[in-house]
Amino acid sequence: MTGSDRSGADETPHVLLLEDDDSLRRLLRQKLEASGYETTALADGRECWAYLSTEEPPDLVLLDVMVPGLDGFRLLGRIRNDDRLEDVPVVVVSARAREEDVLEGYDLGADDYVTKPFSPSALVARIRQLLS
């Protein structure tokens, strides 16, 4: 069975969200949950890595770059170098919109890179596409 196979139609996809801005984290969590996703929302990169290291891998990770603890790019590198997590889709969501930042995200293995500000509805559509 591959990671994209679902054992049951009632299984809710799990999204791990790393965002240090409280209001944006709450907004994204509400939008994701209203769209049918189980969501774990964290604000610190080290806390996120601890979660990824000890819990069942999520179906997708939404990753802000500029967060306390362990920045999103370093975290993305760790995800892509971990056998348990290497195939989990990662969407970088960042205010770092310079071309070199976007390219760094893709070079590190991001599946998508969304720059702030963005439409939460469009982000959910991108997530749906990645998980289909």
Side-chain angles (χ1 to χ4, degrees):
M1 178 187 273
T2 64
S4 61
D5 290 338
R6 292 270 171 221
S7 58
D10 62 343
E11 187 172 335
T12 304
H14 178 220
V15 175
L16 176 60
L17 165 64
L18 175 63
E19 170 59 60
D20 64 330
D21 180 278
D22 292 339
S23 59
L24 182 55
R25 187 175 59 253
R26 279 193 303 273
L27 171 72
L28 288 175
R29 182 179 199 155
Q30 290 170 350
K31 186 71 172 171
L32 288 163
E33 289 177 351
S35 300
Y37 296 99
E38 177 186 337
T39 307
T40 300
L42 304 171
D44 178 273
R46 282 193 185 96
E47 182 182 6
C48 186
W49 179 245
Y51 182 94
L52 287 166
S53 299
T54 59
E55 301 295 330
E56 187 69 25
D59 294 292
L60 183 136
V61 177
L62 270 180
L63 200 60
D64 187 10
V65 173
M66 297 183 292
V67 293
L70 181 66
D71 79 59
F73 282 154
R74 290 187 59 206
L75 189 54
L76 176 56
R78 287 186 181 189
I79 290 169
R80 289 298 176 240
N81 287 307
D82 186 302
D83 292 342
R84 289 178 56 247
L85 304 170
E86 65 185 354
D87 293 328
V88 174
V90 177
V91 177
V92 173
V93 179
S94 180
R96 291 176 59 175
R98 296 177 314 165
E99 182 178 16
E100 51 267 26
D101 294 322
V102 175
L103 293 174
E104 181 177 2
Y106 283 119
D107 286 345
L108 288 168
D111 294 279
D112 202 351
Y113 195 108
V114 178
T115 57
K116 296 176 183 177
F118 60 88
S119 159
S121 296
L123 178 61
V124 169
R126 292 167 104 145
I127 291 168
R128 190 175 303 114
Q129 181 64 35
L130 281 168
L131 292 177
S132 65

